[in-house]
Structure formats: C-alpha cells, structure tokens
Amino acid sequence: MTENFYPDLSPLKTGLAGKCPRCGKGNLFAGYLTVAKSCSNCELSYSFADSGDAAAWFVMLFACIFGVGSILGVEVAYSPPYWVHALIAIPTLIILPMALLRPLKGAFLAQQWKTGAQEGREVK
Ligand SMILES: [Zn+2]
C-alpha cells in the first residue's frame, strides 16, 4: 500500500506563486486567471476553487488607495500638468491591478483549500 504524504505548505507561498496548494509543484492556473481542472503533479482536483470576488475586491481596494494616494501626493508636492498625471496614473492604475490579481487569487484559492471554506448552504 502506497500513500502519498504531502508537506504542510503555506497557502500564502503556494498561492502567490500560483502553485498547487497540496504539493506545491503543479500549476494552479491554466491561463492568466483561469483555474486549471486539476494539479498536473498530484492530480488534486481544483473543483473546490471558488474565490468569488475576493481577489478583485482587495486589488481594487489596494490599487485605489495606492493609485489615488500617489496621484494626490504628486499633485500636492509638484503640481504638474495633467498630462504628467495621465502618464503616471494610467499605467499605475492598469499595471498594478493586473500584477496583483493573479497572485491574490492564488492565495485565496490556496487558503480556501487549506481551510475547506466553501459557499454557505441552506441546511434542510
Ligand atoms: Zn499538486
């Protein structure tokens, strides 16, 4: 009888890296944000994966606070023309969320697997 024993991996590390929460080796994503059907290494089914809007919500929160804060800071400190704001703010408000969305979604999915969290259901 052979059993596979998997190390107790940090959901934050595996999720941020986009790796399988159980073995830490297979890819969690099949595309930019598309979750794979299962792990290519340990065959863990990713059918549990449903992070909902959590990652998008936190990315919007962080990007808005950082983006708007930096725009206001630049305006107060330097009062540059509007085209300078556009040159700084538009890439920041596009690139920052794109860079954060996948790692945060991975972290939420890995945490979901670790805790067994799932959508609430009515008990009959
Ligand atoms: Zn795996």
Side-chain angles (χ1 to χ4, degrees), residues 20 23 25-28 36-44 46:
C20 170
C23 70
K25 293 180 180 163
N27 288 328
L28 185 57
K37 293 200 182 307
S38 63
C39 175
S40 60
N41 186 50
C42 71
E43 300 180 4
L44 170 67
Y46 295 147

